[in-house]
Amino acid sequence: MEQNSSEKRGNVFALLGILYALLQYIWTYFISLKLKNSGTLASVTSPYGYLPMLFFNFIIALPMIIVFIGSIARYRRDFDDKLWYIKTDRYLLTMILTTIYALMYPMATRVAETPRSGAMAWIYYLVFIAFLEEFLYRGLVPTLVDRSNLPRLLKLIIPALVYGIYQSALPFAKYGINRSTLLLAMPDIVWSTIFHFALLSMKKWSGAMWLPIIVHAIVDLSFYFIF
C-alpha cells in the first residue's frame, strides 16, 4: 500500500515536470506571437537591439525563473543532491571549461559590431539560455520524470523530446503552425534532442549542473561567433 502511494506520488511529480515544460513552450509561443502581431518581434530578437533583446529574453525566461525559485524552495529536500549546481566530483574539467568560457568574453566583444552587443551575447547565452534551460530540461524535468513508474526508456525519451520540441515554439510563432515551418525547425529539434542526452550524461558524470551549463554556453556562444 505504501509502495503504491509512493508510485502515484512519483507519477504526479513526473506530470508536474512535463506541465512545467509545456508552460514554458506555450509562454514562449504566445509572447513571440503577440510581439509578431505588434510588429516588434524582429526588433526584439535582433542582435543589434541590446536592451529590447535583453527585455524580450527576460520575459521569455520568466516562467523558468519563477519555477527555479519555487523548486529550490519547495523540492530541494525531496531531490537531495539531484539539483546541485556547485557540488561536483569533476572540479578540474569544470574549472577548465569555465575558464574557456570566461576567455570567450573578449572574443564576443570583438566579434560583434559593438562591444555592448558582444557583452550582451556572452551574458545571454550563459544566463538566459544555458543556466535556465539546463535547470529546466536537464535538472527539474528529468528528476521529476525519473520519480515515476514509467518504463526506463520513456524516462529517458520524454525529457529529450520535450527539450527538442521546445525549439519549435519561436519558429511557429514567427512563420505559423504549418508543415513548412515544422520542416524548417526540424534540424534544431533533432539536434537539440541529441544534445540533451550529451548534456544529461555530463550532469550525471560530474554529479552537478555546472558542467552541462558551461558546455551549453560554450556551444551556443561558438555558434554566435560563426553566424
Side-chain angles (χ1 to χ4, degrees):
M1 188 75 171
E2 216 172 289
Q3 189 176 355
N4 288 338
S5 175
S6 177
E7 284 180 358
K8 284 179 182 177
R9 188 164 177 252
N11 290 336
V12 169
F13 273 121
L15 182 61
L16 189 61
I18 295 167
L19 287 174
Y20 278 150
L22 183 62
L23 168 68
Q24 180 61 41
Y25 184 96
I26 293 170
W27 177 263
T28 301
Y29 173 78
F30 280 106
I31 290 294
S32 302
L33 187 64
K34 186 171 179 59
L35 291 174
K36 178 194 171 186
N37 292 339
S38 67
T40 58
L41 184 62
S43 64
V44 299
T45 55
S46 167
Y48 304 108
Y50 173 69
L51 287 176
M53 187 178 178
L54 183 62
F55 178 74
F56 169 70
N57 287 298
F58 176 78
I59 295 298
I60 290 298
L62 206 53
M64 283 190 276
I65 294 168
I66 294 168
V67 171
F68 172 74
I69 295 168
S71 65
I72 293 300
R74 171 66 180 85
Y75 300 129
R76 191 58 176 267
R77 188 172 56 185
D78 291 331
F79 295 156
D80 299 321
D81 61 350
K82 290 187 179 180
L83 290 177
W84 275 100
Y85 288 85
I86 297 173
K87 176 187 174 186
T88 177
D89 299 327
R90 304 289 185 271
Y91 286 109
L92 183 60
L93 181 58
T94 306
M95 283 174 63
I96 291 170
L97 290 173
T98 304
T99 304
I100 290 170
Y101 185 75
L103 293 173
M104 292 173 88
Y105 175 77
M107 289 178 66
T109 58
R110 286 177 180 274
V111 167
E113 283 194 16
T114 65
R116 191 173 62 175
S117 295
M120 157 48 181
W122 188 82
I123 296 166
Y124 164 65
Y125 286 120
L126 179 63
V127 179
F128 289 108
I129 299 295
F131 184 87
L132 289 170
E133 284 193 3
E134 289 310 303
F135 153 71
L136 186 62
Y137 295 107
R138 252 66 61 192
L140 193 63
V141 174
T143 302
L144 288 167
V145 171
D146 199 48
R147 293 185 62 134
S148 73
N149 61 352
L150 291 169
R152 180 168 172 75
L153 187 61
L154 283 180
K155 288 180 182 180
L156 291 171
I157 289 174
I158 287 173
L161 287 178
V162 163
Y163 179 61
I165 292 168
Y166 177 64
Q167 311 307 317
S168 67
L170 185 57
F172 277 151
K174 272 186 174 180
Y175 309 115
I177 301 175
N178 51 58
R179 187 182 172 187
S180 60
T181 306
L182 180 61
L183 292 174
L184 182 70
M186 192 55 71
D188 279 343
I189 293 172
V190 172
W191 152 250
S192 297
T193 303
I194 295 168
F195 194 36
H196 164 85
F197 289 111
L199 292 168
L200 190 63
S201 299
M202 290 173 204
K203 174 200 165 188
K204 290 183 177 179
W205 179 75
S206 66
M209 293 297 298
W210 277 122
L211 189 58
I213 288 170
I214 294 297
V215 169
H216 194 157
I218 287 173
V219 169
D220 282 354
L221 198 57
S222 298
F223 277 110
Y224 170 79
F225 290 155
I226 295 166
F227 299 108

